[in-house]
Amino acid sequence: MKKSDGKLKYNIAVFISGRGSNLKSIIKYSKQEKACYNVRIVISNKKKAGGLLIAKKYNIENYFIDFTKSKRLGNKVINILKKNNIDLVCLAGFMKVLPSYFIKSYNGKIINIHPSLLPKYKGLNTHKRVISNGEKFTGCTVHFVNRYLDSGKIILQKKVLINRKDNAKSIEKKVLEIEHKIYPKVIVKILSNP
Ligand code: GRF
């Protein structure tokens, strides 16, 4: 990907709705000298998202905008992204489907992480459903975002083994650990690809 403003590092925006543990791992990775990106903007559609505090702690420009509700707010977000020369938008626990005009304006430049081996278990409560279906494996997937829920082209998946003692909570923990490792690496991979 070509850097949009000729700077040394790529600029990324992270969209969140909740606690922001993936956001944190993405920021932490960016602090290494070798990292090719900066987290320039954090946008939350929830006012009380814990991830906003993480953004503040790291002095990252952050906004609460529930933009999926209105086109006017969506355009406001697009303007913020353009003004900040955002090369890639990373959804990390962002719990809303993006409107299609928004996806069009950042076509091929929006990615998401989902806690299952897509195309299995799209949507919410993945770990609970995986356990009640007696699956032997689960995992996480990073994929491009299109206008259908959790359905864009898959970039990377990692498997996690489910033991007999596992429950939804323990699986969430195992899967999150893997998410934190792979998401920053996928971001680098996407940005470094011409
Ligand atoms: C993660 O499991 C992510 O895969 C899913 O939502 C969760 C967000 O967790 N989309 P966090 O806010 O990054 O801690």
Side-chain angles (χ1 to χ4, degrees), residues 38-158:
N38 274 320
V39 181
R40 192 82 182 78
I41 301 279
V42 172
I43 290 180
S44 171
N45 70 328
K46 294 274 178 227
K47 199 172 189 175
K48 295 208 166 134
L52 284 174
L53 299 176
I54 297 172
K56 284 183 186 121
K57 183 177 156 208
Y58 284 93
N59 279 322
I60 296 169
E61 210 169 300
N62 58 88
Y63 299 85
F64 152 61
I65 310 176
D66 192 2
F67 66 96
T68 46
K69 278 190 182 157
S70 94
K71 194 155 183 176
R72 184 182 62 79
L73 291 178
N75 286 330
K76 181 176 167 186
V77 173
I78 291 171
N79 286 337
I80 293 171
L81 298 181
K82 297 249 185 293
K83 198 178 112 208
N84 285 282
N85 297 305
I86 297 301
D87 299 292
L88 187 69
V89 174
C90 304
L91 311 186
F94 185 70
M95 308 302 276
K96 276 278 172 80
V97 176
L98 289 169
S100 52
Y101 68 86
F102 188 91
I103 293 171
K104 265 189 205 144
S105 68
Y106 264 80
N107 199 14
K109 292 182 174 182
I110 310 175
I111 61 175
N112 180 42
I113 189 153
H114 183 77
S116 79
L117 294 171
L118 290 174
K120 289 176 105 175
Y121 302 103
K122 296 174 184 174
L124 297 174
N125 300 318
T126 53
H127 305 309
K128 237 184 184 169
R129 289 186 282 142
V130 157
I131 292 287
S132 54
N133 284 349
E135 298 280 2
K136 300 264 179 297
F137 292 97
T138 184
C140 51
T141 305
V142 184
H143 64 94
F144 285 106
V145 171
N146 64 17
R147 63 201 183 93
Y148 303 105
L149 181 70
D150 301 326
S151 295
K153 189 175 165 223
I154 290 170
I155 305 164
L156 184 74
Q157 285 190 316
K158 285 280 174 201

Side-chain angles (χ1 to χ4, degrees), residues 16-24 91-95 112-116 127 140-141 172 175-176 179-180:
I16 57 163
S17 302
R19 81 195 139 185
S21 68
N22 276 288
L23 168 67
K24 192 171 175 186
L91 311 186
F94 185 70
M95 308 302 276
N112 180 42
I113 189 153
H114 183 77
S116 79
H127 305 309
C140 51
T141 305
E172 183 191 2
V175 172
L176 258 185
E179 291 184 37
H180 297 162

